[in-house]
PDB file of all heavy atoms in Angstrom:
ATOM      1  N   ILE A 390      17.983  -6.742   2.710  1.00 97.00           N
ATOM      2  CA  ILE A 390      17.061  -7.693   2.086  1.00 97.00           C
ATOM      3  C   ILE A 390      17.796  -8.949   1.622  1.00 97.00           C
ATOM      4  O   ILE A 390      17.312 -10.069   1.803  1.00 97.00           O
ATOM      5  CB  ILE A 390      16.319  -7.027   0.908  1.00 97.00           C
ATOM      6  CG1 ILE A 390      15.324  -5.982   1.427  1.00 97.00           C
ATOM      7  CG2 ILE A 390      15.587  -8.076   0.062  1.00 97.00           C
ATOM      8  CD1 ILE A 390      14.620  -5.197   0.337  1.00 97.00           C
ATOM      9  N   ASP A 391      18.970  -8.769   1.037  1.00 94.00           N
ATOM     10  CA  ASP A 391      19.700  -9.894   0.448  1.00 94.00           C
ATOM     11  C   ASP A 391      20.703 -10.556   1.393  1.00 94.00           C
ATOM     12  O   ASP A 391      21.308 -11.561   1.029  1.00 94.00           O
ATOM     13  CB  ASP A 391      20.448  -9.433  -0.803  1.00 94.00           C
ATOM     14  CG  ASP A 391      19.516  -9.096  -1.952  1.00 94.00           C
ATOM     15  OD1 ASP A 391      18.289  -9.202  -1.769  1.00 94.00           O
ATOM     16  OD2 ASP A 391      20.007  -8.724  -3.023  1.00 94.00           O
ATOM     17  N   GLY A 392      20.882 -10.006   2.596  1.00 94.00           N
ATOM     18  CA  GLY A 392      21.822 -10.599   3.534  1.00 94.00           C
ATOM     19  C   GLY A 392      23.271 -10.380   3.147  1.00 94.00           C
ATOM     20  O   GLY A 392      24.112 -11.262   3.310  1.00 94.00           O
ATOM     21  N   ILE A 393      23.585  -9.194   2.639  1.00 92.00           N
ATOM     22  CA  ILE A 393      24.937  -8.889   2.177  1.00 92.00           C
ATOM     23  C   ILE A 393      25.906  -8.657   3.336  1.00 92.00           C
ATOM     24  O   ILE A 393      27.074  -9.026   3.270  1.00 92.00           O
ATOM     25  CB  ILE A 393      24.925  -7.643   1.268  1.00 92.00           C
ATOM     26  CG1 ILE A 393      24.005  -7.854   0.059  1.00 92.00           C
ATOM     27  CG2 ILE A 393      26.339  -7.267   0.825  1.00 92.00           C
ATOM     28  CD1 ILE A 393      24.394  -9.014  -0.805  1.00 92.00           C
ATOM     29  N   PHE A 394      25.433  -8.050   4.419  1.00 92.00           N
ATOM     30  CA  PHE A 394      26.337  -7.642   5.499  1.00 92.00           C
ATOM     31  C   PHE A 394      26.749  -8.805   6.391  1.00 92.00           C
ATOM     32  O   PHE A 394      27.889  -8.888   6.837  1.00 92.00           O
ATOM     33  CB  PHE A 394      25.680  -6.533   6.337  1.00 92.00           C
ATOM     34  CG  PHE A 394      25.178  -5.384   5.515  1.00 92.00           C
ATOM     35  CD1 PHE A 394      23.865  -4.973   5.616  1.00 92.00           C
ATOM     36  CD2 PHE A 394      26.018  -4.721   4.622  1.00 92.00           C
ATOM     37  CE1 PHE A 394      23.391  -3.906   4.854  1.00 92.00           C
ATOM     38  CE2 PHE A 394      25.560  -3.674   3.854  1.00 92.00           C
ATOM     39  CZ  PHE A 394      24.243  -3.261   3.965  1.00 92.00           C
ATOM     40  N   THR A 395      25.801  -9.651   6.700  1.00 91.00           N
ATOM     41  CA  THR A 395      26.067 -10.855   7.505  1.00 91.00           C
ATOM     42  C   THR A 395      25.302 -11.984   6.822  1.00 91.00           C
ATOM     43  O   THR A 395      24.777 -11.810   5.734  1.00 91.00           O
ATOM     44  CB  THR A 395      25.562 -10.685   8.951  1.00 91.00           C
ATOM     45  OG1 THR A 395      24.133 -10.561   8.926  1.00 91.00           O
ATOM     46  CG2 THR A 395      26.163  -9.442   9.613  1.00 91.00           C
ATOM     47  N   ARG A 396      25.202 -13.116   7.424  1.00 90.00           N
ATOM     48  CA  ARG A 396      24.441 -14.205   6.803  1.00 90.00           C
ATOM     49  C   ARG A 396      22.950 -14.068   7.061  1.00 90.00           C
ATOM     50  O   ARG A 396      22.158 -14.895   6.622  1.00 90.00           O
ATOM     51  CB  ARG A 396      24.937 -15.561   7.321  1.00 90.00           C
ATOM     52  CG  ARG A 396      24.759 -15.784   8.808  1.00 90.00           C
ATOM     53  CD  ARG A 396      25.482 -17.043   9.251  1.00 90.00           C
ATOM     54  NE  ARG A 396      25.369 -17.290  10.677  1.00 90.00           N
ATOM     55  CZ  ARG A 396      24.406 -18.036  11.235  1.00 90.00           C
ATOM     56  NH1 ARG A 396      23.478 -18.572  10.473  1.00 90.00           N
ATOM     57  NH2 ARG A 396      24.387 -18.225  12.539  1.00 90.00           N
ATOM     58  N   TYR A 397      22.539 -13.018   7.744  1.00 97.00           N
ATOM     59  CA  TYR A 397      21.133 -12.817   8.082  1.00 97.00           C
ATOM     60  C   TYR A 397      20.477 -11.806   7.151  1.00 97.00           C
ATOM     61  O   TYR A 397      21.118 -10.868   6.687  1.00 97.00           O
ATOM     62  CB  TYR A 397      21.003 -12.338   9.526  1.00 97.00           C
ATOM     63  CG  TYR A 397      21.485 -13.345  10.542  1.00 97.00           C
ATOM     64  CD1 TYR A 397      22.705 -13.168  11.182  1.00 97.00           C
ATOM     65  CD2 TYR A 397      20.714 -14.459  10.857  1.00 97.00           C
ATOM     66  CE1 TYR A 397      23.158 -14.098  12.119  1.00 97.00           C
ATOM     67  CE2 TYR A 397      21.156 -15.393  11.792  1.00 97.00           C
ATOM     68  CZ  TYR A 397      22.380 -15.199  12.419  1.00 97.00           C
ATOM     69  OH  TYR A 397      22.822 -16.116  13.346  1.00 97.00           O
ATOM     70  N   ARG A 398      19.170 -12.007   6.920  1.00 97.00           N
ATOM     71  CA  ARG A 398      18.400 -11.093   6.076  1.00 97.00           C
ATOM     72  C   ARG A 398      17.024 -10.870   6.694  1.00 97.00           C
ATOM     73  O   ARG A 398      16.586 -11.635   7.576  1.00 97.00           O
ATOM     74  CB  ARG A 398      18.263 -11.659   4.665  1.00 97.00           C
ATOM     75  CG  ARG A 398      17.514 -12.972   4.588  1.00 97.00           C
ATOM     76  CD  ARG A 398      17.548 -13.546   3.177  1.00 97.00           C
ATOM     77  NE  ARG A 398      18.895 -13.946   2.800  1.00 97.00           N
ATOM     78  CZ  ARG A 398      19.311 -14.082   1.549  1.00 97.00           C
ATOM     79  NH1 ARG A 398      18.483 -13.825   0.548  1.00 97.00           N
ATOM     80  NH2 ARG A 398      20.540 -14.468   1.284  1.00 97.00           N
ATOM     81  N   LEU A 399      16.327  -9.844   6.219  1.00 98.00           N
ATOM     82  CA  LEU A 399      15.064  -9.441   6.840  1.00 98.00           C
ATOM     83  C   LEU A 399      14.010 -10.540   6.827  1.00 98.00           C
ATOM     84  O   LEU A 399      13.251 -10.688   7.785  1.00 98.00           O
ATOM     85  CB  LEU A 399      14.526  -8.192   6.136  1.00 98.00           C
ATOM     86  CG  LEU A 399      15.251  -6.892   6.503  1.00 98.00           C
ATOM     87  CD1 LEU A 399      15.000  -5.825   5.449  1.00 98.00           C
ATOM     88  CD2 LEU A 399      14.808  -6.406   7.874  1.00 98.00           C
ATOM     89  N   SER A 400      13.951 -11.325   5.767  1.00 97.00           N
ATOM     90  CA  SER A 400      12.914 -12.356   5.667  1.00 97.00           C
ATOM     91  C   SER A 400      13.041 -13.428   6.747  1.00 97.00           C
ATOM     92  O   SER A 400      12.063 -14.138   7.027  1.00 97.00           O
ATOM     93  CB  SER A 400      12.951 -13.015   4.290  1.00 97.00           C
ATOM     94  OG  SER A 400      14.201 -13.639   4.068  1.00 97.00           O
ATOM     95  N   GLN A 401      14.207 -13.542   7.372  1.00 98.00           N
ATOM     96  CA  GLN A 401      14.378 -14.531   8.431  1.00 98.00           C
ATOM     97  C   GLN A 401      13.704 -14.090   9.730  1.00 98.00           C
ATOM     98  O   GLN A 401      13.433 -14.921  10.596  1.00 98.00           O
ATOM     99  CB  GLN A 401      15.869 -14.775   8.693  1.00 98.00           C
ATOM    100  CG  GLN A 401      16.595 -15.441   7.536  1.00 98.00           C
ATOM    101  CD  GLN A 401      18.087 -15.488   7.772  1.00 98.00           C
ATOM    102  OE1 GLN A 401      18.842 -14.672   7.260  1.00 98.00           O
ATOM    103  NE2 GLN A 401      18.530 -16.459   8.561  1.00 98.00           N
TER     104      GLN A 401
END
Side-chain angles (χ1 to χ4, degrees):
I390 290 176
D391 291 1
I393 302 300
F394 308 126
T395 65
R396 63 189 179 92
Y397 296 105
R398 62 186 67 202
L399 284 161
S400 61
Q401 293 172 261

